Amino acid sequence: MTDSNKDKSISSEQVYSEDLDHDNSSIVSRVVNSFKPAAVKPDLDISQMSDLEKANYFASHQPLQQSLKSRHLFWLAIGGVLGSGIFVSSGYNLSIAGPGGLLVGYVIVAYAILCVVLSLAEIATQFTVAGSFISLFGRFLSPAFNWVFGLVYALSWLISLPSELVAIALTIQYWNDSISPSVWVAIFYVLIVVINLFGVKAWGETEFILSIIKVLAVIGFIILGICIICGVGDQGYIGARYWHNPGSFNNGFKGVCSSFISAAFTFGGTELVAIASSETKNPRKSLPKATKQVFWRITLFYIVSAIIIGFLVPSNDDLLLNGSGVSASPFVIAVSNGGIKVVPHIMNAVVLSASFSVGNSCVYGCSRVLASMAVQEQGFLPRIFGYVDRKGRPLVAIIFTCLIGLLGFLVESANEGTVFTWLFSVCSLSSFFTWAAICVTHIRFRRALYIQGRSLDEVIFVSPMGLVGSITGVIILGLIIIAEIWISIWPIGQSASVSTFWQNCLSLPLMIVMWFIYNIYNKSFSPLLIDLKDIDLDSGRRDWDVELLKQELAEERLQYQSKPFYYKLYKFFC
């Protein structure tokens, strides 16, 4: 590669916009100018590229600011999406599946998630796509799958935003139910909008602080929980009392299966770290390291918490099923049953911060996905959604997402629960399909390398679980989807229910219909999958000089091999 081409590869990583930091005009003028569109200057002649190559190029050259630091990505991976799923919804899982069923369900989904994030880390580090990893589906699967999975994934964030606002209002009612919940929805809605309009740095700092709070709270709960189990508190020694009575498993195998959707809601958003990585200065280093932290989050926060909850709260506790809002949280129930007066209020504050954090991430995640889909050549979304201003904000996508957030004011409606149940049905199984698609994408990336005569020597980060992890991940996620369809048709304790099926599985026929709509709109049915020999392995990469990259990676691996075993063990997990 010539020096001029190498220079181009360096400049392609920069954001081409006017330097507002050195603007000497008034503050008002600078604020107004910051909302003007960023001036992107293509650094290559794209006229000879195919449509798919153009899509890959534009997806990796959005003018988003790279303002996030490694510490932001680290804490986002550790505690960024710890939300009401683990703090509140785990109680419903416990009541339906029992402590054993809850633990088994979490372990199965946790293994699948670990396979997913490590597979995603490998391909997202190789092709750091500005805005969203969703465009990788178009590169390695087909444009139709890019559109289907991208829209459904964006919908999952979009619908979660008003839901989290409602959760915030209900959480505050634990302290004061005399004030209308819509007041709290309005206050926190404005806070979320303002934070996201301040840019990715403000969002990153907010998530950094909230993640630390959530992580410390969960660690504190685990320590406190162990103390209560061992006899500290009004109940005396608890031990494994509730595993024997009322029992370890409720509703047998169906109980375990029923915990999968709630577990998916709890684990949802784990892949957000890959979206945020494109707005860091050095994703090649920060993304692999951050994704490895997911192992610790899964083990410490989800698995250990599930074990502690199972020991502390009986699965037939009336509040688990009949409590509302945070009063149904097994965390709050556990410390309340232990006779500890102050801690429930602390846990309620943590649940509040967790819901606010997830709502904040909903705007970030959805806006980046929408903007990424809008700039691609296939026309997945109207171009206006790809508008990025001079501060690197996908402005139209943020505004659109925030407008949908106004649905949070449905908290005043008596039918609020029914409305959100059917809204979530649109993306009920979508998390499992998105995760499975990531694993399939990783498999096809490895196969494309082999078919095109290339090797892992040019792969920046190699997943520790390799192809085995992706294959087993696809199998497990496929079996979970089948299990969810089964219990949706024949719910626990009920006869066959059409309503329950559509509430839990509406996303399945919807995605099939969306796939046909895409092909009909484009007036041609594209192949189900792109031929492996035609997969583009080069355009949009940050490292243009493959031979130089191979040399650098070989040197890094040689240094790694010379390290002692404890260093290798540390690097494997961290």
Side-chain angles (χ1 to χ4, degrees), residues 38 42 89 162 191 242 351 387 417 433 462 519 556:
S89 300
L191 282 175
Y242 300 132
V351 173
Y387 182 99
F433 280 102
V462 178
N519 286 283
E556 291 175 4

Side-chain angles (χ1 to χ4, degrees), residues 224 227-238 334-340:
L224 177 61
C227 294
I228 295 175
I229 292 170
C230 294
V232 176
D234 295 348
Q235 294 174 292
Y237 177 75
I238 297 176
V335 292
S336 296
N337 291 345
I340 303 173

Side-chain angles (χ1 to χ4, degrees), residues 515-516 519-520 522-527:
W515 188 84
F516 278 101
N519 286 283
I520 292 172
N522 286 277
K523 299 177 181 178
S524 64
F525 277 79
S526 59

Side-chain angles (χ1 to χ4, degrees), residues 79-93 102 105-106 109 113 164 259-270 297-298 301-303 305-306 309 331 358 431-432 435:
V81 289
L82 288 174
S84 57
I86 185 173
F87 291 112
V88 179
S89 300
S90 55
Y92 176 78
N93 278 356
L102 173 69
Y106 270 41
V109 176
I113 290 296
E164 293 298 334
S259 70
F260 290 147
I261 280 188
S262 295
F265 176 68
T266 302
F267 285 81
T270 303
R297 186 178 77 195
I298 289 172
F301 303 139
Y302 295 127
I303 305 301
S305 293
I309 288 169
F331 289 77
V358 174
S431 292
F432 296 120
W435 295 335

